[in-house]
Structures are given as C-alpha cells and as structure tokens.
C-alpha cells in the first residue's frame, strides 16, 4: 500500500502541464460506443464466466513481483506516466521540451481518444471486479474513485492502446515493441483488479475506432507529419531538406508564432 501511495504522489507531481488540451474532436463528435458495440456480458453468460476466470488469472499474475510492479505503475493515469512507460519501446525519450511536436500530438490525440469511453461508462455503470468480490486491488489509492466510476470500457486501456497506435505510426520500425507494451498496459488493469477482461477488450476496440476518427482531422494529420519529421531529425534519419524545415518550424515556435 505504501508503494502504491508513493507512486501516486510521484506521478501526480509529474503532471506539470496544466495548459488546456486542444482536442481534435469533442466528445459529441466521437462515435457513440453505446450505439455500435455490445453491452457488457450478462452475469449469467459464458462471457462473464471468462471474465471471472481472467480475474483469478490476474490475481495469480500478482505473485510475479516484476509484473505486479508494472501493473502498479500502469495504474497511475496520465500522460506523464505514458511517456515514462512508452519512451523506451518507442526508441526515443519523449518530452515537451525536447520533442515538442511528438509531445503535442500524443497529448492532444490521446485526450481526444479518451473521450470515447465517457458515454458507455456513464450508461452502463458496470460494477468493477474488486467491488463484486469485495477484495483489495494492487492500487488501493484509486479504489474510492473507481467505486463511483463505470468499469466498461477501461479508460486506462483506451489511453494505453491509442498511445501505442499513435507512437507506432510515428516509428513503424518499432511497432511490434510499442504495440506489445500497449497490450501489456491493458492486461495490467486485469492484474490490478480494477477491470474485467471484457472491459479491456472493449477498450481496445474503442481506442482503435477513436484513432481512426482522428485521421479525419486535417489538423491531426498535419501534426502527425510534424511529429514524424521531428522523429527523423532526433534519430539522425532526416534529409537536409527535412532538417531545414524542422529548424524553421522550431524557430517559429520559439518566437511564439
């Protein structure tokens, strides 16, 4: 419990960027999951029996200290923790200062994708596994909030999977590694005990749909172009033309234009 509390303090204090997020679409402009994706499994269904099986699988995985520690880290919701976990598989340290274009599209893109989970969470208000079983999670600090927040789909998984999709588009050569980490991020929610497996599965679909929606935004496509250009510059793959274009953009940014 002490470790979980310390992790929360550390990552919460890291949320230093308080500026407004300029999302690419509003929540009402995103596809409404309640209209095209099935409801959570009925408690008398075979699907729910699998959810229960996976809950006990998650508890077994907690016995592995290394995996349990990862699940605790993944429990801290926020962009800074995504950056901490995904920079290594991405192949480049992401930061607002050193990779501003990548940071911008990651922050605004994932915030836009996140909104797709709002309607179904409120509509279904599914009871979480740790509540149903009346057992503690691996991250007790979150439990009071989670008790009042719907379980279906998993918001953490939407964040993790949309981050993986976005970063693998910027660096497709590391897609396997990035996507593996994104998949693990969703598994962590089952291991922690905060979500059913079907919450996680639904969230991966939701994140994929939301990410497809992003590609209908010209502003997003332009920012992705800049992010890919920045990645090439920072990793020494840029042409002279790309380098000059990036330096010009960086100069304008520094001048506040």
């Amino acid at each position: 419990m002490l470790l979980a509390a310390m992790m929360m303090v550390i990552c919460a204090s890291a949320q230093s960027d308080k500026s407004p997020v300029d999302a690419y679409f509003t929540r009402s402009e995103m596809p409404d999951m309640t209209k095209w994706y099935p409801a959570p499994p009925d408690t008398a269904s075979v699907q729910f029996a699998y959810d229960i099986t996976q809950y006990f699988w998650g508890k077994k995985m907690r016995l592995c200290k290394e995996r349990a520690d990862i699940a605790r880290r993944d429990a801290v919701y926020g962009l800074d923790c995504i950056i901490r976990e995904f920079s290594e598989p991405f192949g480049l340290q992401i930061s607002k200062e050193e990779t501003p274009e990548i940071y911008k599209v990651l922050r605004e893109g994932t915030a836009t994708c996140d909104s797709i989970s709002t309607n179904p969470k409120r509509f279904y208000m599914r009871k979480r596994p740790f509540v149903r079983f009346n057992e503690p999670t691996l991250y007790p600090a979150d439990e009071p909030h989670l008790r009042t927040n719907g379980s279906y789909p998993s918001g953490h998984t939407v964040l993790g999977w949309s981050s993986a999709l976005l970063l693998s588009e910027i660096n497709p050569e590391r897609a396997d590694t990035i996507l593996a980490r994104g998949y693990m991020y969703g598994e962590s929610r089952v291991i922690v005990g905060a979500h059913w497996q079907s919450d996680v599965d639904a969230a991966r679909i939701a994140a994929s749909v939301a990410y497809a929606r992003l590609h209908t935004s010209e502003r997003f496509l332009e920012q992705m172009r800049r992010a890919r250009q920045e990645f090439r510059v920072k990793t020494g793959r840029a042409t002279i033309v790309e380098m000059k274009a990036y330096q010009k953009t960086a100069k304008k940014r520094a001048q506040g234009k």
Side-chain angles (χ1 to χ4, degrees), residues 77-185:
Y77 190 89
L79 182 63
D80 291 299
C81 291
I82 285 290
I83 288 172
R84 182 195 65 213
E85 297 301 321
F86 280 81
S87 287
E88 183 175 348
F90 179 56
L92 179 68
Q93 181 60 51
I94 303 166
S95 74
K96 184 178 181 180
E97 295 73 26
E98 297 300 321
T99 60
E101 304 295 356
I102 296 171
Y103 177 88
K104 180 179 175 63
V105 76
L106 181 62
R107 183 173 189 244
E108 296 177 350
T110 56
T112 305
C113 291
D114 177 72
S115 66
I116 200 171
S117 66
T118 303
N119 283 349
K121 277 181 172 291
R122 291 176 178 173
F123 185 79
Y124 296 116
M125 279 304 296
R126 188 185 194 189
K127 186 181 294 186
R128 293 173 184 269
F130 77 91
V131 176
R132 176 170 288 276
F133 286 100
N134 193 29
E135 295 179 340
T137 68
L138 270 184
Y139 199 71
D142 265 359
E143 290 176 20
H145 166 67
L146 296 181
R147 289 177 184 275
T148 65
N149 183 263
S151 186
Y152 188 84
S154 163
H156 278 72
T157 303
V158 170
L159 173 63
W161 193 241
S162 59
S163 296
L165 293 173
L166 190 150
L167 293 174
S168 63
E169 184 172 341
I170 296 173
N171 184 11
E173 291 183 4
R174 295 292 293 271
D176 290 346
T177 304
I178 297 167
L179 292 169
R181 186 62 182 93
Y183 190 86
M184 178 185 288
Y185 195 91

Side-chain angles (χ1 to χ4, degrees), residues 90-92 171 228-238:
F90 179 56
L92 179 68
N171 184 11
R228 286 193 296 269
Q229 181 185 72
E230 180 174 75
F231 177 79
R232 290 177 60 79
V233 169
K234 295 294 182 177
T235 56
R237 307 177 192 186

